[in-house]
Amino acid sequence: MNCKKEAISLMHKYLDGELKREEERRLRNHLQNCPSCQNHFHELKRSITLIKNTGPTSAPSNFTANVMNSLPKEKKRKNYIRAMQRHPILTAAAVFFILMFSGIFSAWNQDQHVTVSKQENLEIRDKTVIVPEGVTINDDLVVRNGDLKILGKINGDVTIINGEIINGKPNGDIENNLDSSTLRAYTGELNEVNQVYEWVWYQTKHIVSDLFSFESDQEE
Amino acid sequence: METMIKQKIKEVKKGDQSAFEDIVSFYQTKVYHICLRMIGNAYEAEDLAQEAFIRAYTNIHTFDEKRKFSTWLYRIATNLTIDRIRKKKPDYHLDAEVRGTDGLDMYSQLAADQALPEEEVESLELQSYIHKEILALPPKYRSVIVLRYLDELALQEIAEVLDIPVGTVKTRVHRGREALRKRLRHV
């Protein structure tokens, strides 16, 4: 066997773990008869052992923290998404409130035309709803986006949303007054809703009184 | 462990940065080790290993989950380190023999990086001598030797990490072994 070429290449094949059985036999036979190759093989194996045993090197103690600190910042949006995933109940509550309030706000902003709950016997002029003289309404009245002028009588609650009550007397000697005892044009409650928060409150109250009607009866 | 890492990678891909922490702490020693043995300087090794993890994080979407993560990560680390070695070359050759000395190269001029406890000095002296000999190898042999014997990767995996054919890996391992044999025979 040629030491320089064949034997050494077989040694490397052995070290790579790719030696076939037949080749292994030939290499062993050669090594037994060739001290210089034996020495070469020994030196190769020894140098591998030496470099393998160079001791464990652990990364610096604060390595992970340093890496984490120098990572590019996460996108905010993704942060929110993960926060939502972590707190599903909070998310559900937030979504509920967003939907509820946006519904109420949009209803407030969109209805800019005058609407009245009961159209019978009422006159509407320039955003003013007039209860004509001699007319008596035996029900609750709701006016949206308009003023209310009472010349006749209302037997029930009056609700004015985004508007106000105008003194019905032609002389105007009685001041515009919301006190039902002064006006006496209607019986029951008068509600004026002019601000968004009042509107929200009105809506909430409405829902609550619908749900627990006995409760609102007691309040009245 | 592999499945845990896979899960963490999925989380990182979804944008969960904190999941990357476990990946870093799991691979930090290996990556640092590769960099240190190839570059030979603790500060630079730390810098390179850190850079490798940051690159892995920013390019995580390009990682194919069917493949081995370690291979991909080592590839980033070795490429960075090889680039750094190449850039260093014009400044000074550590391999170069110091003028007027017999066989002393620049490595003998470098101060040791760490302070050593005295009882370990002797075995550590041998170790640092061996480290020097590894560093004295040309980079292309050094990288395969480090991956083969310090990180104990299979030849096929080294081929994937370095993106070279397995045959080339074998040739380089053989030549690297022969070079080390010559350098370490007197130890």
Side-chain angles (χ1 to χ4, degrees):
Chain A
M1 193 186 279
N2 183 330
C3 291
K4 273 271 175 283
K5 281 188 181 168
E6 208 181 343
I8 289 174
S9 87
L10 284 179
M11 285 176 208
H12 284 292
K13 265 183 121 178
Y14 169 83
L15 293 170
D16 289 340
E18 292 180 336
L19 207 58
K20 292 184 192 87
R21 187 166 289 181
E22 203 274 325
E23 292 169 323
E24 198 182 330
R25 191 188 51 77
R26 276 170 57 207
L27 178 64
R28 199 181 300 132
N29 284 344
H30 177 74
L31 286 176
Q32 274 166 2
N33 303 320
C34 176
S36 99
C37 277
Q38 229 178 69
N39 188 39
H40 191 111
F41 192 49
H42 173 75
E43 282 174 1
L44 275 176
K45 289 212 282 192
R46 189 159 169 274
S47 57
I48 289 166
T49 315
L50 280 172
I51 59 168
K52 268 189 171 178
N53 292 334
T54 46
T57 335
S58 52
S61 53
N62 50 355
F63 185 84
T64 306
N66 285 344
V67 171
M68 293 311 288
N69 286 337
S70 40
L71 288 184
K73 287 279 166 288
E74 236 178 314
K75 280 173 191 149
K76 277 273 157 59
R77 197 178 60 83
K78 285 183 175 172
N79 260 336
Y80 290 140
I81 289 169
R82 222 173 43 258
M84 281 182 190
Q85 285 168 346
R86 275 189 201 149
H87 311 289
I89 294 168
L90 213 69
T91 310
V95 170
F96 170 76
F97 276 106
I98 289 165
L99 291 178
M100 195 182 100
F101 282 108
S102 65
I104 292 168
F105 284 138
S106 62
W108 171 261
N109 288 328
Q110 278 166 14
D111 293 348
Q112 288 302 332
H113 53 277
V114 183
T115 50
V116 187
S117 59
K118 300 286 180 293
Q119 290 289 341
E120 280 174 60
N121 303 324
L122 293 177
E123 289 175 33
I124 301 174
R125 260 187 241 149
D126 294 339
K127 289 194 167 189
T128 308
V129 179
I130 302 168
V131 181
E133 233 168 321
V135 172
T136 307
I137 294 167
N138 292 313
D139 210 340
D140 293 350
L141 182 71
V142 178
V143 178
R144 280 174 201 235
N145 303 313
D147 300 335
L148 177 68
K149 198 175 199 176
I150 306 171
L151 301 171
K153 267 199 158 185
I154 301 168
N155 291 325
D157 294 350
V158 174
T159 304
I160 304 167
I161 297 159
N162 200 15
E164 56 186 12
I165 192 154
I166 294 169
N167 177 14
K169 303 292 178 201
N171 312 345
D173 53 354
I174 300 170
E175 286 294 302
N176 185 3
N177 201 322
L178 300 182
D179 192 342
S180 57
S181 63
T182 322
L183 261 165
R184 294 166 195 275
Y186 56 90
T187 60
E189 279 187 358
L190 171 70
N191 299 312
E192 271 195 66
V193 183
N194 284 325
Q195 299 294 329
V196 174
Y197 64 86
E198 285 183 5
W199 165 250
V200 171
W201 175 236
Y202 166 74
Q203 285 280 358
T204 319
K205 225 163 65 176
H206 199 70
I207 293 163
V208 172
S209 64
D210 275 358
L211 290 173
F212 313 99
S213 49
F214 63 94
E215 224 175 19
S216 62
D217 284 347
Q218 277 179 339
E219 278 169 15
E220 280 166 21
Chain B
M1 215 58 207
E2 275 291 305
T3 45
M4 187 278 262
I5 291 298
K6 274 195 176 144
Q7 183 56 39
K8 292 287 172 196
I9 291 164
K10 277 199 187 112
E11 282 167 33
V12 175
K13 277 191 175 179
K14 278 181 201 152
D16 183 356
Q17 195 170 67
S18 58
F20 196 66
E21 196 165 347
D22 297 315
I23 297 175
V24 177
S25 62
F26 186 68
Y27 287 109
Q28 57 176 351
T29 305
K30 287 265 185 183
V31 172
Y32 175 72
H33 198 203
I34 293 174
C35 295
L36 178 64
R37 288 297 156 249
M38 281 175 71
I39 202 92
N41 170 304
Y43 291 110
E44 277 188 282
E46 187 180 346
D47 186 41
L48 285 165
Q50 216 177 84
E51 178 69 28
F53 278 112
I54 293 165
R55 290 224 182 159
Y57 176 79
T58 50
N59 296 306
I60 194 83
H61 56 276
T62 65
F63 169 65
D64 178 2
E65 279 164 58
K66 283 173 222 132
R67 302 183 66 191
K68 220 172 156 186
F69 182 72
S70 58
T71 307
W72 186 71
L73 183 62
Y74 296 165
R75 184 170 183 169
I76 296 172
T78 47
N79 282 345
L80 279 172
T81 313
I82 290 166
D83 277 355
R84 182 74 63 93
I85 293 167
R86 280 197 195 123
K87 273 179 199 156
K88 281 173 73 163
K89 264 200 167 167
D91 302 333
Y92 50 90
H93 295 260
L94 288 176
D95 291 336
E97 208 170 276
V98 179
R99 280 192 174 196
T101 60
D102 186 22
L104 276 179
D105 59 22
M106 287 298 283
Y107 287 100
S108 57
Q109 309 291 306
L110 294 176
D113 293 322
Q114 300 118 328
L116 309 168
E118 286 192 10
E119 66 272 21
E120 287 183 347
V121 165
E122 226 163 84
S123 84
L124 283 170
E125 259 176 7
L126 172 64
Q127 290 197 355
S128 70
Y129 177 78
I130 294 162
H131 291 161
K132 276 183 208 166
E133 293 306 325
I134 296 170
L135 286 169
L137 292 173
K140 62 178 180 178
Y141 301 139
R142 198 191 311 165
S143 55
V144 291
I145 290 292
V146 166
L147 293 172
R148 181 77 183 90
Y149 289 112
L150 299 174
D151 293 290
E152 305 192 324
L153 298 189
L155 293 172
Q156 176 60 45
E157 210 174 337
I158 298 171
E160 281 173 39
V161 168
L162 298 174
D163 200 21
I164 52 177
V166 185
T168 312
V169 175
K170 278 186 196 168
T171 315
R172 289 186 186 177
V173 169
H174 294 185
R175 291 191 185 152
R177 271 197 296 246
E178 284 298 333
L180 279 172
R181 180 188 72 87
K182 279 174 199 154
R183 288 169 180 277
L184 296 173
R185 72 206 297 184
H186 305 299
V187 175

